[in-house]
Amino acid sequence: MRKVIAILLLAVVGYYILGTLLNLPFGQKATGVGKYYLDSTIKETGTVNTVTSIVVSYRGFDTLGEVTVLFLAATGLGAILFDKKGKKRSLQNASLIVKTSSKMIYPLTVLLGAYVFVHGHLTPGGGFQGGAIIATGTLLMFMAYRSFETNHTALTIIESLAGLTFVSIGISGLIWGYSFLQNILPLGTPNELLSGGIIPLIYIAVGFKVGAELTTVLDTLLKTIKG
Amino acid sequence: MSPVHFIAIPLFAAFLIPLVGKVSKNLVKLIPGIVFLYLSYVAITLFPIGIHKPIVEIIAGFKAPFGISLYYGPLAAFLTTMITLIGFVIWLYSYKFIIREPIEKYYMLFMMLITGSTGIVLTGDVFNLFVFLEITAIAAYSLTAFLRDKDGAEAAFKYLLIGSFSSTFVLLAIVLLYANVHTLNMADIATKISSVPLTTRIFILILFLMGLGIESEMFPLNGWAPDAYSQAPSPVGAVFGGIVVKASIYALMRLIYLMFEFQSVMHFLVIMGVITMLIAEMSAMRQQQIKRMLAFSSIGQMGLVIIAFGVGTEPSVRAALFQMFNHALIKSLLFFAAGYLVFHSGSKKISALDGLGHDKPITSFFFAFGALAIIGLPPFSGFWSKLYVLLSVANSGLFAAVALILFSSVVEAIYYLRVVSRLYFNTEVATDVRRTPVSGLVAMGILTLVILFVGFYPNLVLHWMTPAANELLNKAAYIKAGLFH
């Protein structure tokens, strides 16, 4: 009986959700804020990738918040799974094929990740994506080699410095007499690597930060055996 | 000096903490203190400016609605100052509190929990609000499980599940809002919301009520709160009850007053507030553990605040803000004292507190003081806010609500005095050689003095709350300041 009532209630709720979602004006020409972004990105931010300019410039404050969210998640995970004695990864070795090809793919993955975050203002992708690609590279190594270890101190330092860079770029906007996170560098010529003012700098910092953070998270999660 | 300092400085410090942690763990403990001390200075400098004329700070140089802006009006001035000062006191309390490794992570999460709440209060952008809600929530989940025991893990998992629902609802509501009005600035949304079809508007409102209701501990969405409050380390319990809930209620009320000002919503708030209050107070009565009791009492007090916001007149909103302020002070004090009472008695149970009043007179005194203040006895600040809430509710003719508030106050008095009487009038004397650290006592002492001071001069604080209440009620002024600064 209770299940029947629950299903009926869900059906009513679902009907209204569907009704609301069907009314959404999707696929139409952008209006409001969206139209403004499409029209003035290149002029105002010097960035050809509109998504990047919205993420890092117009709504850069949100991105700083999201970077913090990831940082908190990684820190929280480290705090909850903290073990003084330290833990080990699974002792099983991968096959020779996996090992050899991982060794070849790993540097290429890191290179691709770096390419993606360095070119965040020109091509699809950016700091988060590039960092995630780098972390998948290390994940491959973690799975292939049981002895592969990352340098935790170095990762922590990279993480901290990258975060500090992001906030410092923001604060320098204040120091220069503009607003927080405002661009203080020349915009350059659109479509060139050195363009977009502070956007590439922020994305490089984010790339390093996300790469280091996700690597730490994977390392923490994979170490399940008491050492 | 500008409102963005409230966010930028703690973030800088948070990213610095892992580096400092490599050098010295003791230095890490100091960082939140230094940050909150500096922010208190910022808060006190900005407060007189913001209370008269809202400061709208543009981020990244793009004017509203194209970029994100912070709205530091009277209400935000009042709440950020409260959060920052109480944050400092809670840091002082946790300075010598025994905290497990890894302490650098603890202090980082602790600082971000408070910063997230400040951000919720400051922001003028609805998606930015979501980001700060996430910061607060994720710090809260990890701090709930920080002690790494079974109960803590269970509480954190529960909180994580319910909290994820909350985030999803809020995000979906924001998506629907954006799809309909093509803007994220709250003032801009308020001007355009009337063009949205009514069913969509109600649906968005329900999503916000569900999402933010979870964080605001509204019935029946508050199942996570007692577990999280009691399993987290005591300073964190104080942050939950004193700061995080206040920020969530603010967010809910800001959105309702700005975008969904239907009369029926206000009635709904009053009804939900009454139910929340009654059920929480009755549950608090049955609790065997002191921190769970405090958690239920906290939910009950939030019910009272929701009632006062739901009445929606100027005196009632002011009373609601005053009640929030007092509750933040008093509940922090109670959590502080309860933290050390639990520590000394070695058990979370109320029955283990027998006779602790003789062995630990100062800590017990602080608890008894807080208990009397939160019940609303005359010389303390809690009396005034409860009185003003009652008066404003009565003035709106809601006498049933008045009767139920009085009834729940009696219930509240019974369960608090039961604990106090156990502390003092039970002969079986417990002894514990460990002392309560001085920093903890100083923190409790500061709160006690403030509670007493506000109790004697309530008008000094109320005076500042009138502009804050007006800001919430005067939608046109908010829109004007937010969009055409």
Side-chain angles (χ1 to χ4, degrees):
Chain A
M1 190 60 201
R2 273 179 68 182
K3 278 183 186 163
V4 175
I5 296 174
I7 289 172
L8 278 177
L9 273 175
L10 278 177
V12 172
V13 175
Y15 174 77
Y16 279 102
I17 296 177
L18 198 66
T20 328
L21 292 179
L22 286 178
N23 277 333
L24 279 186
F26 262 126
Q28 293 170 357
K29 271 203 160 176
T31 50
V33 178
K35 187 177 175 350
Y36 176 85
Y37 291 152
L38 284 176
D39 291 344
S40 46
T41 300
I42 294 183
K43 193 176 79 217
E44 284 190 340
T45 62
T47 311
V48 286
N49 185 346
T50 316
V51 176
T52 298
S53 81
I54 295 171
V55 170
V56 186
S57 197
Y58 291 105
R59 305 198 64 86
F61 199 47
D62 282 344
T63 305
L64 179 58
E66 289 300 343
V67 168
T68 314
V69 167
L70 190 61
F71 181 51
L72 287 175
T75 312
L77 197 68
I80 294 168
L81 299 178
F82 180 82
D83 196 332
K84 250 193 180 146
K85 287 178 220 136
K87 285 184 176 175
K88 276 196 207 139
R89 276 201 308 278
S90 163
L91 300 176
Q92 205 177 355
N93 249 332
S95 71
L96 185 67
I97 301 171
V98 175
K99 279 165 118 175
T100 318
S101 49
S102 299
K103 219 176 207 171
M104 284 160 66
I105 295 172
Y106 178 53
L108 293 175
T109 319
V110 174
L111 190 68
L112 175 67
Y115 174 85
V116 167
F117 71 67
V118 170
H119 289 76
H121 55 305
L122 303 173
T123 55
F128 288 99
Q129 295 84 340
I133 292 171
I134 292 178
T136 52
T138 39
L139 175 63
L140 196 63
M141 291 304 276
F142 282 147
M143 302 304 260
Y145 294 87
R146 69 170 192 206
S147 55
F148 182 75
E149 279 294 336
T150 47
N151 184 344
H152 278 271
T153 317
L155 284 177
T156 312
I157 292 173
I158 292 174
E159 221 181 304
S160 279
L161 287 180
L164 288 173
T165 312
F166 197 160
V167 184
S168 304
I169 292 173
I171 293 178
S172 58
L174 281 177
I175 296 172
W176 258 254
Y178 308 120
S179 59
F180 186 69
L181 278 173
Q182 187 159 355
N183 186 34
I184 45 168
L185 297 175
L187 291 179
T189 327
N191 269 324
E192 278 185 11
L193 187 58
L194 291 176
S195 67
I198 57 172
I199 291 178
L201 291 182
I202 290 179
Y203 253 178
I204 289 169
V206 173
F208 271 105
K209 192 163 172 53
V210 172
E213 232 147 49
L214 290 182
T215 304
T216 319
V217 166
L218 289 170
D219 194 29
T220 321
L221 285 178
L222 284 170
K223 284 185 172 159
T224 47
I225 297 172
K226 283 215 165 112
Chain B
M1 193 76 57
S2 61
V4 80
H5 284 226
F6 287 112
I7 313 295
I9 305 297
L11 283 186
F12 189 87
F15 293 137
L16 197 65
I17 281 179
L19 282 185
V20 177
K22 295 273 169 217
V23 183
S24 155
K25 299 260 179 195
N26 281 326
L27 219 56
V28 169
K29 281 184 163 188
L30 284 174
I31 289 182
I34 298 167
V35 168
F36 286 126
L37 204 61
Y38 172 73
L39 291 183
S40 305
Y41 165 69
V42 177
I44 290 166
T45 325
L46 285 177
F47 186 80
I49 310 170
I51 206 97
H52 289 300
K53 193 177 170 296
I55 306 172
V56 177
E57 179 165 22
I58 292 169
I59 306 284
F62 301 104
K63 278 204 160 168
F66 306 114
I68 296 168
S69 54
L70 301 180
Y71 190 97
Y72 186 82
L75 185 54
F78 161 62
L79 286 171
T80 42
T81 312
M82 180 185 100
I83 290 173
T84 312
L85 295 178
I86 291 182
F88 178 74
V89 176
I90 297 176
W91 168 79
L92 199 63
Y93 173 76
S94 61
Y95 185 70
K96 281 280 170 189
F97 200 81
I98 313 280
I99 285 156
R100 289 185 68 163
E101 287 288 326
I103 59 164
E104 78 275 11
K105 291 192 165 64
Y106 170 83
Y107 281 99
M108 212 278 293
L109 292 166
F110 166 79
M111 190 165 68
M112 292 326 289
L113 184 62
I114 298 175
T115 305
S117 310
T118 321
I120 293 174
V121 171
L122 272 178
T123 185
D125 186 283
V126 78
F127 187 77
N128 201 228
L129 176 80
F130 172 73
V131 171
F132 282 117
L133 271 173
E134 281 286 277
I135 291 182
T136 315
I138 287 180
Y141 307 147
S142 1
L143 283 172
T144 306
F146 195 83
L147 297 178
R148 297 196 291 282
D149 51 352
K150 194 168 146 277
D151 291 343
E154 191 194 326
F157 189 65
K158 213 186 232 179
Y159 190 9
L160 176 70
L161 273 186
I162 303 178
S164 309
F165 272 109
S166 154
S167 307
T168 316
F169 286 142
V170 174
L171 187 61
L172 190 55
I174 294 170
V175 168
L176 285 173
L177 261 182
Y178 181 78
N180 280 289
V181 296
H182 307 287
T183 179
L184 288 168
N185 183 283
M186 295 204 301
D188 203 24
I189 293 174
T191 60
K192 293 177 178 156
I193 189 86
S194 51
S195 66
V196 178
L198 193 65
T199 46
T200 312
R201 261 177 101 177
I202 293 173
F203 186 54
I204 295 171
L205 169 70
I206 291 172
L207 287 173
F208 271 131
L209 270 174
M210 298 275 281
L212 292 168
I214 289 173
E215 299 287 339
S216 313
E217 301 172 3
M218 199 194 280
F219 177 81
L221 310 167
N222 48 24
W224 59 272
D227 289 346
Y229 276 62
S230 55
Q231 300 307 333
S234 288
V236 177
V239 182
F240 284 169
I243 295 176
V244 175
V245 192
K246 306 295 180 303
S248 314
I249 286 227
Y250 159 84
L252 184 60
M253 293 309 156
R254 170 68 90 199
L255 293 174
I256 286 180
Y257 274 87
L258 211 53
M259 301 168 196
F260 312 100
E261 240 185 324
F262 313 123
Q263 197 54 49
S264 49
V265 180
M266 295 300 170
H267 292 320
F268 177 76
L269 283 180
V270 174
I271 294 168
M272 289 321 278
V274 170
I275 299 177
T276 308
M277 180 181 70
L278 284 177
I279 291 187
E281 301 288 14
M282 302 300 262
S283 316
M285 186 96 168
R286 291 211 321 266
Q287 294 311 310
Q288 306 294 321
Q289 293 183 7
I290 184 157
K291 283 209 240 165
R292 283 185 76 87
M293 188 193 91
L294 290 180
F296 274 111
S297 153
S298 179
I299 299 173
Q301 297 276 327
M302 284 307 106
L304 188 63
V305 171
I306 293 172
I307 295 173
F309 272 121
V311 171
T313 57
E314 198 249 311
S316 81
V317 172
R318 194 176 50 194
L321 292 173
F322 196 22
Q323 176 69 22
M324 272 164 76
F325 172 76
N326 283 332
H327 181 248
L329 289 173
I330 303 170
K331 200 38 71 63
S332 303
L333 175 65
L334 282 168
F335 266 104
F336 288 179
Y340 275 113
L341 289 179
V342 168
F343 172 72
H344 289 311
S345 67
S347 162
K348 285 177 175 166
K349 289 239 160 82
I350 294 176
S351 53
L353 300 177
D354 282 356
L356 214 58
H358 306 288
D359 184 41
K360 294 278 171 271
I362 308 177
T363 314
S364 305
F365 164 75
F366 284 131
F367 187 86
F369 185 95
L372 295 181
I374 207 151
I375 297 167
L377 285 187
F380 308 111
S381 59
F383 167 72
W384 294 105
S385 54
K386 218 169 214 174
L387 180 71
Y388 285 120
V389 171
L390 280 170
L391 282 178
S392 63
V393 176
N395 273 337
S396 304
L398 300 164
F399 294 107
V402 172
L404 291 171
I405 293 174
L406 287 173
F407 170 70
S408 67
S409 292
V410 175
V411 177
E412 205 175 23
I414 294 171
Y415 66 76
Y416 271 112
L417 293 179
R418 200 181 54 185
V419 178
V420 174
S421 73
R422 267 187 184 275
L423 283 175
Y424 286 105
F425 303 121
N426 276 32
T427 43
E428 189 196 324
V429 177
T431 45
D432 183 16
V433 285
R434 294 171 297 185
R435 285 159 172 260
T436 310
V438 178
S439 71
L441 292 177
V442 170
M444 290 187 248
I446 294 173
L447 288 180
T448 310
L449 288 178
V450 177
I451 292 166
L452 211 56
F453 178 79
V454 177
F456 281 114
Y457 302 100
N459 285 331
L460 278 181
V461 182
L462 267 176
H463 171 67
W464 299 114
M465 276 167 208
T466 313
N470 281 328
E471 184 201 317
L472 198 60
L473 291 166
N474 192 345
K475 191 167 125 183
Y478 181 87
I479 294 170
K480 191 162 165 260
L483 279 181
F484 314 103
H485 36 277

